[in-house]
Amino acid sequence: MSPLRTLTVAIAASLASACTMIPEYQRPVAPVPANFPNAPQAAEATPADAIAWRDYFADAQLRDVIALALANNRDLRVAALNIEQARAQYRIQRADLFPTIGATGEQTAQRLPGDLSGSGDADVFRQYSATVGFSAYELDFFGRIRSLNAQALELYFGTEEARRSAQISLVAEVASIWMTLAYDRERLALARNTYESRLKSHDLIRRSSEAGAVSALDVHQSQQLLQSARADVARFSSFVAQDENALALVVGAPVPADLLPDTLTDTVSAVAELPAGVPSEVLTRRPDVLQAERSLRAANASIGAARAAFFPSISLTAAAGTASSTLDGLFGGGSGTWNFIPLIRIPIFEAGRLQASLDVAEVQRDINVAFYEKTIQTAFREVADALADRATLAERLDARRQQVEATQAAFRLAEARYKGGVDSFLGLLDAQRSLYLAEQELIFVRLADATNRVALYKVLGGGWQ
């Protein structure tokens, strides 16, 4: 068998049948309870991670703002570029599985003095060569390169999951800021209406005081309420401006005015209820958990590379071409040349370096196991917290609505009694304060309900589609 054919057979065998020493991967058992607390019974509903964000959010303005953010947000853009970088790194690592073939052209000139040339005269010897071949190509019999290739592949897949996780966080953040802006705008509108109402009431009381119908104390108490509402208008105006700035930052571009909310909508979600499902099934589909698992798989693959380093490595250098002492004879008949240099390296004494490298790889794998388990535990808590909040929100909303109705009735009664001269202005003052606070609390609970729906959608893995 010719040397070239032997070389071809060796390379083919290396690529086709090389084994690896990567330990068998086993997904760690999720260290969380078997069921979520306070989970609703909605087994037939579509899981959150299977619902596209366009189908989940009911408000068309909010959907347009989210789309704008997905197109312009810089953090998401960085996550996408990280995928491209990891893909290129994987391609670089994968290239080591194949020989690097290159062509070279070379001229060698050497002058020999007369006492060394044999003829007694100084002479110049020249050699020209042109070859095609490869150098130091490692035959991956023990899977070292394949293990490193598997590690790079898992890291690449991990960046894909990181981008999905970043998109979920972005969608939830945009929705939360958008709804916070609606909440502050609604509070600002309430404060303005309250200020205008109190201004009219204050003018009426002041004129009554000038006519001697009411005391100066009523005027001062009315002034106190008026200025309190005025301060709230200024404070909420600042909150609205800050919310608009925060929304523009997370979107990554100016948000058109027609996409900004005026009031807090009660129909944020187009889905009535999200099923919590079984933790071991739901949480392991979350992109951040999948990213942690990809890192664990990559660490597991690196153990195979560390194990393979204990065994002999075989590398080949080969080239074929033509050589001549003259340039015009370089491609003449009989000028063909080739070389084939197999090299085997057997580790004998490394002063513990190889074992230490293996220990590092195994410890890193154990670290990734712990990180994976912690990621699942964190995800479980996020879902449990969102479900706990969801379980009481309906009752809180109903209680706040009834409270507003009751305080409105109390205010109307206190106003009638004051105008009828039955009670002092102090009773009407307390009724006005109570109504204003009750209306603010109702708006806050409505915000809590809306943001909880977004949070539950996020922690159950929705939003990446």
Side-chain angles (χ1 to χ4, degrees), residues 79-94 147-164 287 290-299 301:
L81 292 174
N82 285 336
I83 294 176
E84 298 299 323
Q85 183 183 41
R87 181 186 291 119
Q89 291 289 348
Y90 166 66
R91 290 167 57 195
I92 293 173
Q93 184 62 55
R94 185 173 180 271
S147 297
L148 294 175
N149 184 55
Q151 180 187 18
L153 182 61
E154 294 296 340
L155 293 176
Y156 162 53
F157 287 151
T159 58
E160 288 274 7
E161 302 300 342
R163 192 206 64 82
R164 291 182 178 183
L290 290 174
Q291 182 186 3
E293 185 176 9
R294 291 296 183 183
S295 296
L296 174 57
R297 286 178 174 271

Side-chain angles (χ1 to χ4, degrees), residues 128-129 322-336:
Y128 302 88
S129 64
T322 179
S324 175
S325 60
T326 61
L327 185 59
D328 55 357
L330 189 59
F331 297 101
S335 62

Side-chain angles (χ1 to χ4, degrees), residues 3 7 134-137 314-319 338-344:
L7 175 61
F134 55 86
S135 175
Y137 168 64
I314 301 174
S315 61
L316 305 176
T317 298
W338 59 266
N339 66 74
F340 175 56
I341 308 173
L343 174 66
I344 182 170

Side-chain angles (χ1 to χ4, degrees), residues 53 57 62 66 166-179 250 451 454-459 462-463:
W53 62 266
F57 294 103
L62 177 56
I66 292 175
Q167 176 169 325
I168 289 176
S169 298
L170 176 62
V171 169
E173 187 177 7
V174 169
S176 297
I177 295 176
W178 188 86
M179 289 183 295
V250 73
T451 54
V454 175
L456 192 59
Y457 180 59
K458 171 189 174 183
V459 297

Side-chain angles (χ1 to χ4, degrees), residues 228-242:
S228 175
R230 179 187 174 193
D232 281 348
V233 170
R235 182 161 59 97
F236 296 151
S237 296
S238 175
F239 290 165
V240 168
Q242 292 174 2

Side-chain angles (χ1 to χ4, degrees), residues 147-446:
S147 297
L148 294 175
N149 184 55
Q151 180 187 18
L153 182 61
E154 294 296 340
L155 293 176
Y156 162 53
F157 287 151
T159 58
E160 288 274 7
E161 302 300 342
R163 192 206 64 82
R164 291 182 178 183
S165 182
Q167 176 169 325
I168 289 176
S169 298
L170 176 62
V171 169
E173 187 177 7
V174 169
S176 297
I177 295 176
W178 188 86
M179 289 183 295
T180 301
L181 173 59
Y183 162 70
D184 285 331
R185 281 190 163 189
E186 194 163 337
R187 286 202 299 172
L188 176 59
L190 174 62
R192 283 174 174 168
N193 292 336
T194 301
Y195 174 76
E196 293 174 359
S197 175
R198 289 179 180 179
L199 180 61
K200 295 177 182 179
S201 176
H202 174 69
D203 290 341
L204 179 61
I205 293 174
R206 181 176 52 81
R207 288 194 298 267
S208 299
S209 175
E210 291 173 352
V214 298
S215 66
L217 178 61
D218 291 349
V219 177
H220 292 306
Q221 289 176 334
S222 174
Q223 177 74 9
Q224 177 187 353
L225 277 181
L226 177 64
Q227 297 306 321
S228 175
R230 179 187 174 193
D232 281 348
V233 170
R235 182 161 59 97
F236 296 151
S237 296
S238 175
F239 290 165
V240 168
Q242 292 174 2
D243 293 338
E244 291 176 352
N245 294 337
L247 187 61
L249 175 62
V250 73
V251 168
V255 180
D258 60 337
L259 297 183
L260 298 178
D262 294 322
T263 59
L264 189 61
T265 176
D266 289 324
T267 56
V268 172
S269 171
V271 179
E273 205 66 63
L274 286 173
V278 181
S280 60
E281 297 176 358
V282 174
L283 299 181
T284 53
R285 296 199 301 266
R286 276 186 30 161
D288 59 333
V289 176
L290 290 174
Q291 182 186 3
E293 185 176 9
R294 291 296 183 183
S295 296
L296 174 57
R297 286 178 174 271
N300 194 63
S302 69
I303 295 177
R307 287 178 174 176
F310 284 88
F311 294 86
S313 62
I314 301 174
S315 61
L316 305 176
T317 298
T322 179
S324 175
S325 60
T326 61
L327 185 59
D328 55 357
L330 189 59
F331 297 101
S335 62
T337 181
W338 59 266
N339 66 74
F340 175 56
I341 308 173
L343 174 66
I344 182 170
R345 182 183 180 278
I346 303 175
I348 297 176
F349 177 72
E350 297 281 349
R353 182 181 63 86
L354 297 180
Q355 183 61 50
S357 298
L358 178 59
D359 293 342
V360 168
E362 291 176 343
V363 170
Q364 184 61 51
R365 187 265 315 271
D366 295 340
I367 291 174
N368 283 93
V369 169
F371 180 76
Y372 174 77
E373 294 174 342
K374 178 64 180 297
T375 303
I376 287 186
Q377 289 176 336
T378 301
F380 182 89
R381 180 191 171 180
E382 290 174 351
V383 176
D385 287 348
L387 289 173
D389 206 16
R390 180 89 248 143
T392 62
L393 274 168
E395 185 174 357
R396 289 164 58 191
L397 271 171
D398 183 63
R400 291 301 182 185
R401 288 193 180 103
Q402 294 190 31
Q403 181 186 15
V404 169
E405 293 175 0
T407 51
Q408 285 175 341
F411 170 73
R412 287 191 295 267
L413 181 60
E415 187 177 32
R417 291 174 64 87
Y418 173 71
K419 290 180 179 179
V422 178
D423 283 341
S424 67
F425 185 71
L426 184 60
L428 179 59
L429 178 68
D430 289 338
Q432 286 181 329
R433 286 173 176 169
S434 298
L435 177 59
Y436 183 49
L437 292 176
E439 289 174 330
Q440 285 191 344
E441 286 294 332
L442 176 59
I443 298 174
F444 175 76
V445 176
R446 289 173 57 221

